[in-house]
Amino acid sequence: MRWLVAFSAIMLAAPLQAQSDLPAAEWAYVQLPDPQMEAEARELMLELRCLVCQGQSIADSDAEMAGDMRHLVRERMLAGDSPQEIRAYLVDRYGEWVTYRPPTSSLTLPLYVAPIVLILAGLWLLRGRFRRREKQ
């Protein structure tokens, strides 16, 4: 019975160990002083996927990793990097999965072509079905 209590205590304490005691990055929740630059940064942040949440952009996520990525975007914008350079840096660092708009390549081409082929096949099947009904 003691080992069950000890095991339960360890399992319940594990999520607490995952929480960071570090303060948020400087630019994680602070907007840039230049409104135009902040608008560009915000647009870029909406195109970047949170690596922890996976279904949210870094602009919408409250995960610590998303805050660090927002800080990185704003910091690099202040350093003079363009949004394209920042996106390229993050893609090099985390892979194409980090962006919601991956570049078209031989690997991503089926993702764009398959829906069109499936819709055309469905229309062709429906056409054949309606023709049979008209003949009857």
Side-chain angles (χ1 to χ4, degrees):
M1 183 66 174
R2 282 185 174 163
W3 70 270
L4 183 60
V5 171
F7 179 74
S8 298
I10 290 170
M11 293 308 291
L12 292 174
L16 294 175
Q17 294 294 330
Q19 299 299 319
S20 173
D21 294 335
L22 298 173
E26 179 185 0
W27 293 104
Y29 297 100
V30 178
Q31 293 186 354
L32 295 171
D34 180 10
Q36 176 65 26
M37 193 180 290
E38 177 61 31
E40 289 178 15
R42 175 81 178 161
E43 186 177 321
L44 176 59
M45 287 185 256
L46 288 170
E47 295 175 10
L48 297 172
R49 185 187 315 265
C50 175
L51 300 174
V52 176
C53 304
Q54 299 180 3
Q56 290 182 305
S57 68
I58 64 169
D60 299 329
S61 174
D62 285 330
E64 187 175 355
M65 180 73 174
D68 290 343
M69 290 174 74
R70 286 191 302 271
H71 168 77
L72 184 121
V73 167
R74 288 181 174 127
E75 186 177 57
R76 291 186 70 115
M77 292 277 295
L78 285 172
D81 288 355
S82 70
Q84 293 80 13
E85 292 171 327
I86 298 168
R87 182 183 298 109
Y89 171 78
L90 289 169
V91 166
D92 286 344
R93 190 169 186 179
Y94 299 112
E96 289 183 5
W97 191 83
V98 75
T99 180
Y100 280 117
R101 293 191 308 173
T104 305
S105 69
S106 60
L107 293 174
T108 60
L109 192 60
L111 296 173
Y112 297 107
V113 174
I116 296 169
V117 169
L118 290 173
I119 289 172
L120 291 174
L123 290 173
W124 185 74
L125 289 171
L126 283 173
R127 186 183 130 261
R129 189 161 182 95
F130 286 128
R131 276 188 171 179
R132 276 190 240 135
R133 283 190 180 176
E134 289 175 4
K135 289 181 182 179
Q136 292 176 356

